[in-house]
Amino acid sequence: MNKRMLTQNAAFGMFWLAGIVAVLIMAFVVGYIFVKGFPGISLDFFTTSPRGGLSGDGGIYSTVVTTFYMIVVTLTFATPLGVGAAIYLTEYSANTENKVVRKLVTVARFGVETLAGVPSIVFGLFGYALFVSALNFGFSILSASLAGACLIIPVIIRTTEEALKSVPSGYREGSLALGANRWETTWKVVLPAAFRGISTGILLSAGRIVSETAIFFVTLGGSYRVPHSLMSGGRTMALHVYYLAMETRAFDKAMSTAAVLVGLIIVMNLTINMITSKIAAK
Amino acid sequence: METEVTRMQAEDYSLFYGQFKALNKINIKIPANRVTAFIGPSGCGKSTFLRSFNRMNDLIPSVTTTGTVYLDGKDVGKQDVVELRRKVGMVFQRPNPFPKSIFDNVAYGPRLHGTKNKSDLAVLVEKSLRRSALWDEVKDDLQKSGMSLSGGQQQRLCIARAIAVNPEVILMDEPASALDPVATLKIEELMNELKNKYTIAIVTHNMQQAGRVSDYTAFMLTDENRSGNLIEFGATKQIFTTPSDSRTEDYISGRFG
Amino acid sequence: METEVTRMQAEDYSLFYGQFKALNKINIKIPANRVTAFIGPSGCGKSTFLRSFNRMNDLIPSVTTTGTVYLDGKDVGKQDVVELRRKVGMVFQRPNPFPKSIFDNVAYGPRLHGTKNKSDLAVLVEKSLRRSALWDEVKDDLQKSGMSLSGGQQQRLCIARAIAVNPEVILMDEPASALDPVATLKIEELMNELKNKYTIAIVTHNMQQAGRVSDYTAFMLTDENRSGNLIEFGATKQIFTTPSDSRTEDYISGRFG
Amino acid sequence: MTSGTRRTGLEKIMKTVLLISALASVLIVLLIFVFTLKEAMPAFREIGVWKMLSGTTWRPGNGEFGILAMIAGSGLVTLGAIIIGVPLALGTAVFLSEIAPEWIVRVVRPSIELLAGIPSVVYGLFGMVIIVPLVRMIPAPGNAGFGLLSASIVLAVMVLPTIANISEFAIRSVPRGYKEGSLALGATKWETISRVMIPAARPGIISAVVLGLGRALGETIAMIMVIGNSVILPTAMTDNPLSIFLSRARTLTGNIAVEISYATGVHESALFATGVVLFILIMLVNSSARFLLKKGAQ
Amino acid sequence: MSRDSFDRELQEIKRNLFQVTGEVRKNLTASVRYLEKRDMQGASIIIESDEMINQKCLEIEEQCLNIIATQQPVATDLRLLFSILQISTEIERIGDYAKGIARISLKIGPGKLIKPLIDIPRMEEIAGQMLDDAIRAFAEDDEQAARTIPARDLQIDVLYNQVHRELITFIMEKPSSIEQTMMLDWVAHNLERVGERVINICERVIFTVTGVSVDLN
Amino acid sequence: MSRDSFDRELQEIKRNLFQVTGEVRKNLTASVRYLEKRDMQGASIIIESDEMINQKCLEIEEQCLNIIATQQPVATDLRLLFSILQISTEIERIGDYAKGIARISLKIGPGKLIKPLIDIPRMEEIAGQMLDDAIRAFAEDDEQAARTIPARDLQIDVLYNQVHRELITFIMEKPSSIEQTMMLDWVAHNLERVGERVINICERVIFTVTGVSVDLN
Amino acid sequence: GEQATADGTEAVEEVEISVVGSTTVQPLAELLSEAYEAIHPNVLVTISGGGSSVGVKSAAEQTADIGMASREIKDSEIQDCPEIVIHTIARDGIAIVANPDLDINGLTMEQARDIFAGEITDWSEVGGSAGMIIVAAREEGSGTRSAFEDLVMDESLISETAILQPSNGAIRTTVATTPGCIAFISFGYLDDSTKPVAIDGALPTPENVNAGTYPVVRPLNMVTYGEPTGAVAQWLQFIVGEDGQAIVAAEGYLPI
Ligand SMILES: Nc1ncnc2c1ncn2[C@@H]1O[C@H](COP(=O)(O)OP(=O)(O)OP(=O)(O)O)[C@@H](O)[C@H]1O
Ligand SMILES: Nc1ncnc2c1ncn2[C@@H]1O[C@H](COP(=O)(O)OP(=O)(O)OP(=O)(O)O)[C@@H](O)[C@H]1O
Ligand SMILES: [Mg+2]
Ligand SMILES: [Mg+2]
Ligand SMILES: O=P([O-])([O-])[O-]
């Protein structure tokens, strides 16, 4: 009996340690970046663009703008496709007798799953080969966000599917039994009920765009100017951290930018948590 | 029985899930303005049969059928499914109000079917809620979410929602199995009142419930091929006191197996 | 009642979830080798009370209690919880066999408590399975996963698992609510046999079931503070024919509300 | 036109539109594969698939395009990350799902989610500034800090959330009944966890690890920043075979990212070929994860 | 609160019981009246109507069976149904006694009675009153009343003994009247039986209310 | 198969019914024998034992109530319980008739009877046989038997009429014997009633088996 | 930057010049553009990286106005697109730098070659105190690397075990922080975090390059498709002009 409890205490000690270490890692990474980064953050830091070549002077204004553009444009491409695909896969696919369509659905599912596993550098390669070179979009927000959209479409499809699936099937049956057709049911009942879930998916995708570096490294060009059209190149905050770290000696600036990035991610996570906890509360 | 008006009818109705014959040549006449209960062991096809009345089985791609189901003498398979489902309402096992206000829940069906006028809708919603015996409990806050109601209230809301499109028949698949005994009795009482205006078909696992609520009882059972057959159909009183088939007796007296 | 041996007892037992008093000064003596049923509307604290007997409530951090629960005259709170739970077995609402073989499911408890010898285990497993009336159905393949059994079989497997550690008391929280009527009756019959060797306490929503299976019935109800109280306790026959409290009568006759 | 036919018409249109959206992913996958493969073809043709895969020398300037070193690098760095990260991640998962009090869970879980959200470039930066100098302090000839160990540590932190999250979910989704059933039989919490919960969650945990593996294989930027990028088959640097992890290396991803900007001709094509290899490798890993998950679901 | 339809059904059965009781009660009084008045036709009607009474009692029994089978009543409801079942049997028997009296009436034939009836109508009056009160006690769950009514049966017994002795004296005086006299003794006996049936009803009332079976005889 | 415990309970009730029937049957025969033999003590024992019979019948009734309340039987089970309930009442009444005969025995006193009993023991024999057969029919769900038994009641009726007429003649001849003669008439009457009770039992058997209420009178 | 146009001085039409290519030239070009835009508010010069090869290709395919290359334009590239015009805007020395803690001040060309080839592995072999030599280098394809190979390595190959970093900045950081490390970087990146190593006695300074004593030099080029016109031409003129070359010099590169 005593031995059983001793074993348990030993095991639990290890688990506590694991939990503590995990938190310490987080605290250390984030803390270090904040401690090193905060001193460099001022209003100027946000309102001026990078300048001065290798000196790493200036702030991050243009990179914030670029990041924002990237989020908007990428989501504009990916959201309708992703949500639409998810709707088809969850709401329609199970209800087709047509053999061809069923095959297509299997293929589509495979596509989504494969896409989700593709490493981002391959999206980069692909974006570089197709959008930058073959389609001649050059290093531009357009090229980068098309490649980025490929990255987040599976994320949106998955989270949206999850959200749609978590809508009780009773809602659908209830609506169908009242004489509504599929689309009416989806539009009026299922989508509103899944809205929060879908929006966390979109937010999550925005987070992916904010943090992504590898794809944009080979598609966005890295110009630190404020982009003024879809065809402009640019530099997201994450890319800026990379440039600062790898090209210049401005590690302090890199840290400040990283701190801003991490801060942004924290805010996004909090928002997602808020939304999901509201879903859970329902 | 002979004197009853038939509202729905199945004639040599068989249903297949792919190769599997789930219902085997069912013949039955569901009398109008009565509560007809379907009882039988799990998997005997009660739900499947019930869902044939409003063609909910159409949603399952593998389903094929032979024979005919009639509503008021007309083959349901040849009717517009949207219109059919308006006429044949359905209430499910778990209360499934939409995550909308009470008002919007009830108004959902009428809006679909073209009632847009606000005051018409208000009248309709009130009438439906009164009829489902929920009005007094919710009239003070129709904008409250339907989900915030208790289980029993939710189920009555679902009944109101079904009523709001002015159906002729209401199908209920174990409508009280997720409710506690008190809420269950309320639903049962409600059925008793609704049958004045509607024809009600209910699936239940609970023999006692069938006894309490129904005027007619249909007993189903699977045969050696696991297909569901209608074993006996008759007035509930008769089924519960002098069933004519020994399998019915075994089942209702709990000796089945 | 006076002539019965008391196996478990609660004395002025109250239980709080944080600030909320879920059980209010319960006094009851559970007679040995009898089936005692707990009935009452949802939320009256039946499950909570049942779980007090084997201290499953210890798992909920917010729980505090006053008063005492005794097993064979000894305060359960002062006993080693692991040993207590061996003596007081539990069967849950949903059958919950472990995702292991039938054999390993039944052998799980004995192994924990030190039986390692293979042949001892085999004997024990067979005995437990026989006692839970499952042996004949599974003896040909004890290596089959416990999950592959039907719901009713799974529940009997869980009973066998509980029996295997040689408990004195078996607690059952709505053990048949997830089962169909046929499987339910089997479980009920089983209880009837098990009470020869064990003391059984069962929570049920189903008055009919309480009537069928139990020798004693305890009726619980929430008071104005939503705390659960024991309203009436007595021989099931008496409760079902001449309850002494009008609330009991209202509840068992379905007039509660 | 009646409202009925209008309603039906809309339904049909939407159905088609949605089907097309659903197929977009396939189209993208196809495009990716076709384009990458097309770009990679010249390299495969000129160098030969086998020669590429088995070649240990990568000197585009000399027309040598062996990627075995990169495959080894990717493999080793992932292995290192798994060795460091998995125990920690699983420990955390068990801790969160079964042991920690609620308020601690409320602190730890968001911390781990935050770890998942931090951009990889930030990890890279952190690795360059903190991990690499720390690793450099290990006495071994030629140890510059940059190398597999640093990369594995960074990667371990990066996959920690993936593995911990999915494992925690797997453990949490073990039906409550298992736990209660075991406890009610007089098992201690640890016996319950080790004999019932973890075995029941095993498929989920395994696929969590495999998914983490996939993510680790695909990581790029942070790797470039700390691994040293040398194209060599890693070898032990001292007598201790573990010192292989002090060796510098290059990952498949790093190979692409580092050189794509400068590459032309066969060199560029070879990088695309690297991409193809990476793609296939990760597909293998992921589909085995999916397979495990499916098997677990049964 | 709830179970409205069940309560409604219960009430209906009760109503049926009261109705048939009313008819039996009427027949009982009528049977003695017609005997006094030598109304052959009236007696025939009573005999005929008993068929219907039996039928009604059977129906009540069937209703009880149905409601027990379909509604699964317990406790008071179930006791009530049990009682209704038993009371309806008692009522049916009382109906039979009335029919018996009417039959005797017919057997005696239209001629004048050998002696005027004095105590027999008194017996009927008391028995009828007891029946009325017992049924009222049942309707009102009046345990108290049910406990006091049986005492009145003593009066009936006293009257019956009186009638019996009187009739025996009569026979001794006038042996040729023996047939009619014995028949009248039968009538008194039947009325005495009614008293006992009413006591049974009272027992049922007490059972319904308290759940305890008592023996009031 | 299932519902074992329920079936066991049902069987027990049935057993109790058979047991009490056995006792009643014994008392019935004994009551007439003791009347013949002028066995005052035996008669007293019968009167005493009736208390226990009543008690047993009450118990059966209670068991039926309990099993209906707790087990919610339907269909055949429920009909069976209904029938047991009614049959036990009939049996109890038959017991009462035996007690009545014993009482008369006591009233007549230990002296010799005014005339030897011939038809009355015959009546008892037939009625007792009918009771045996009816209970057997019940035990065996033998609808056929239940339908044929009532015909035998005619014999009893014939015997009763015979006894009655005989006794009337006797009184006319010897008015002083009127008290005892009328008492013997009572005995015959009681036995005649037994026949009718048995018919009721047969009706119940048919109801149990078929669910149909018939009137065999 | 470009906000200069917002403060009312815009009279001339807005022009954008896109410049793509070498990441070595990129920071210099950025500085030049900042200076140029200050005096020409209507002009916006966007500078993207991508590498020398991409720069040449972009110019050839006309997806950018100007391509940047940190090396000589290859014959193959000229063959592919004979229309391209090369504008050398500066020269860049490639300096060998070592970790500042090292007690090594100069190497011979030979020694340097052997060190980078991995044949000399300990500092004691070249006169320093004992310690493992850690070589860092740019990645394959880098203009800096190929220039270094051309100018220093002859037929030898850079050691496989060298730390490879994809940018000059990263190399500088690596050298600065790694004990025993040696590497080569563009002059533009020279600062006091690393220790310049003299080759054959000549320290890597613009003076020594100009004097011809420091041999490791390469051109920094801008490439256009055809002769430039308009704004592009003006911008290129600005670079090669006095102001432009002043910036070039200030950044440590060699004016032409
Ligand atoms: N979508 C489906 N595809 C294939 N088979 C199905 C499907 N739905 C039901 N079945 C099968 O059809 C038979 C009848 O199922 P159904 O759900 O109608 O039974 P039920 O009588 O309602 O049972 P329960 O009482 O458990 O609800 C079962 O054998 C079931 O397995
Ligand atoms: N873990 C918990 N924390 C807080 N309150 C709880 C918890 N579990 C139960 N309760 C509350 O305690 C009361 C009694 O709950 P319990 O589950 O014992 O009721 P029950 O009688 O078993 O109901 P049911 O029939 O629905 O199972 C309820 O008000 C419930 O909301
Ligand atoms: Mg069903
Ligand atoms: Mg509970
Ligand atoms: O970046 P590079 O100048 O070395 O090509």
Side-chain angles (χ1 to χ4, degrees), chain A residues 10-90:
Chain A
F12 280 19
M14 300 301 291
F15 290 127
W16 273 93
L17 193 68
I20 291 167
V21 167
V23 176
L24 284 183
I25 290 175
M26 188 284 302
F28 187 61
V29 173
V30 173
Y32 184 85
I33 286 161
F34 277 172
V35 167
K36 292 283 178 187
F38 270 145
I41 295 177
S42 61
L43 191 59
D44 260 8
F45 188 67
F46 287 105
T47 54
T48 59
S49 290
R51 65 183 137 76
L54 286 179
S55 69
D57 281 346
I60 57 169
Y61 173 73
S62 63
T63 67
V64 172
V65 174
T66 304
T67 306
F68 177 72
Y69 278 179
M70 280 304 303
I71 292 175
V72 171
V73 179
T74 314
L75 287 179
T76 309
F77 289 131
T79 308
L81 270 181
V83 173
I87 291 175
Y88 191 86
L89 291 177
T90 41

Side-chain angles (χ1 to χ4, degrees), chain A residues 50-54 61 128 133 136 139 220-226 228 232-233 235 242-243 245-249 251, chain G residues 2 16 20 26-27 30-31 33-34 37 44-49 54 63 166-167 169-170 172-173 188-189 191 193:
Chain A
R51 65 183 137 76
L54 286 179
Y61 173 73
Y128 177 73
S133 302
N136 253 338
F139 293 121
L220 196 51
S223 156
Y224 60 57
R225 294 307 166 87
V226 175
H228 51 90
S232 308
R235 184 187 287 190
Y242 181 77
Y243 280 117
M246 297 297 271
E247 293 287 351
T248 72
R249 284 180 61 211
F251 273 101
Chain G
E2 75 288 341
E16 186 188 349
V20 169
Q26 190 178 359
E30 281 166 359
L31 282 173
S33 71
E34 281 162 23
E37 282 165 10
L44 176 65
V45 188
T46 357
I47 296 145
S48 300
V54 171
T63 53
S167 69
R172 178 176 59 188
T173 311
Y189 288 81
D191 61 15
S193 69

Side-chain angles (χ1 to χ4, degrees), chain D residues 262, chain G residues 22-25 51-52 70 138-139 141-145 168 218:
Chain D
Y262 302 94
Chain G
S22 161
T23 51
T24 308
V25 189
S52 303
S70 62
R138 291 293 306 279
E139 73 285 7
S142 148
T144 315
R145 174 172 171 139
N168 284 304
R218 58 162 169 182

Side-chain angles (χ1 to χ4, degrees), chain E residues 5-30:
Chain E
S5 69
F6 171 57
D7 287 340
R8 241 176 286 126
E9 273 184 69
L10 263 187
Q11 289 312 322
E12 199 197 307
I13 300 182
K14 261 183 148 175
R15 229 180 1 259
N16 288 347
L17 180 67
F18 295 146
Q19 200 201 327
V20 76
T21 306
E23 273 159 44
V24 167
R25 175 74 178 82
K26 220 176 60 200
N27 277 4
L28 186 66
T29 309

